Amino acid sequence: MGRGPSIEGRKNAEDAKRAKVFTKLIREITVATRSGVADPGGNPRLRAAVDKALAANMTRDTIERAIKRGSGSDGGADMQELRYEGYGPAGIALIIDSFTDNPTRTVADVRYVLAKHGGNLGTSGSVAFQFTRCGELVFATGGDAAAEEKVLEAALEAGADDVLNEHGESIVLCTPENFEAVQQGLIVAGLGAQHAGVVMRPNNRVEVPEEALEQLLDLLEKLDALDDVSEVSHNALLPSGTAE
């Protein structure tokens, strides 16, 4: 009778996954620090990155070291924030955001993964017009009318622009500039988001042909697994239950 993965094997896999997440978060904090001041109180982007790191159980010491690295006081590497645009299977539009100290390596990795999974790299601006940058907060309301109403009332009170109810989730939308105020207003109302951040949201979702779905999902997984890639946005309408 075959045996499943050992406890040690599962722990090693979990540790490796956690280390990859931390690597991405540290880079995000570093770049956020470089884009403004080294104080989260005066740098909303840095505060959002720190909040995300704390939610992932990163220690305060690790966060402080990342901030010092970004401010240059700790010999930080020359990290850059770069965006690539392209297409996946069935012409699905992709925006791939990255933090890197080696753009040549990063673009080569992104191009390779795209080519291997039926996609290709586009020129700057080739797909960005199909997306809108906005604040997005997602709440698991499970289709419960009372829960949806609570999110709606709190979101509008906090200054949100719109609230959508899709697939058992309430999605609060706002301008990037208003994101922090809306998030704090919802927290004060006792509502904790499953996911919250400033994102590139597609203006329209495109259905994916069944024969291209598996290849697209594999592409999204492989892009997200790249160390330099911080966020992958797409305009695919994925079946319920699959990762966005």
Side-chain angles (χ1 to χ4, degrees):
M1 183 176 177
R3 297 177 62 188
S6 67
I7 293 175
E8 183 180 359
R10 287 197 299 269
K11 184 179 185 303
N12 289 341
E14 290 170 2
D15 287 348
K17 184 176 181 180
R18 184 167 174 263
K20 186 175 285 290
V21 170
F22 276 20
T23 296
K24 290 176 181 285
L25 289 169
I26 287 169
R27 292 185 179 196
E28 187 171 348
I29 291 170
T30 301
V31 174
T33 303
R34 291 172 63 87
S35 70
V37 296
D39 176 15
N43 184 338
R45 183 178 176 185
L46 175 57
R47 186 185 302 115
V50 169
D51 287 345
K52 192 187 299 185
L54 290 172
N57 295 319
M58 184 180 289
T59 66
R60 292 274 184 184
D61 285 346
T62 302
I63 291 171
E64 286 300 322
R65 285 197 297 271
I67 292 174
K68 286 180 179 178
R69 186 182 184 200
S71 67
S73 63
D74 198 25
D78 187 19
M79 299 294 293
Q80 299 179 51
E81 183 177 17
L82 297 175
R83 169 169 289 170
Y84 304 102
E85 300 178 38
Y87 298 91
I92 294 301
L94 299 167
I95 293 180
I96 304 155
D97 288 315
S98 68
F99 300 125
T100 180
D101 57 358
N102 188 333
T104 302
R105 175 194 66 218
T106 305
V107 71
D109 288 346
V110 168
R111 184 180 283 115
Y112 173 78
V113 172
L114 285 170
K116 195 173 180 181
H117 295 83
N120 62 279
L121 205 58
T123 57
S124 178
S126 58
V127 304
F129 67 92
Q130 300 179 55
F131 296 78
T132 299
R133 185 170 178 267
C134 65
E136 180 184 82
L137 302 98
V138 181
F139 299 86
T141 45
D144 181 83
E148 291 175 354
E149 184 67 21
K150 182 177 180 180
V151 172
L152 175 64
E153 290 181 359
L156 295 180
E157 179 70 23
D161 295 328
D162 199 4
V163 179
L164 309 175
N165 293 309
E166 301 175 352
H167 310 299
E169 295 177 335
S170 289
I171 304 169
V172 177
L173 303 176
C174 62
T175 63
E177 297 76 19
N178 213 21
F179 170 73
E180 188 180 351
V182 171
Q183 183 180 38
Q184 289 303 313
L186 287 162
I187 290 173
V188 168
L191 296 168
Q194 278 188 309
H195 165 79
V198 176
V199 302
M200 293 296 287
R201 183 176 174 84
N203 300 328
N204 294 290
R205 294 280 184 183
V206 177
E207 289 197 25
V208 183
E210 187 176 349
E211 63 272 14
L213 180 59
E214 185 176 349
Q215 189 178 37
L216 174 63
L217 292 175
D218 194 32
L219 168 62
L220 296 176
E221 181 181 348
K222 293 299 191 297
L223 285 172
D224 187 62
L226 293 175
D227 285 343
D228 295 341
V229 170
S230 59
E231 191 80 32
V232 179
S233 307
H234 62 82
N235 66 345
L237 180 62
L238 297 179
S240 180
T242 57
E244 276 293 314

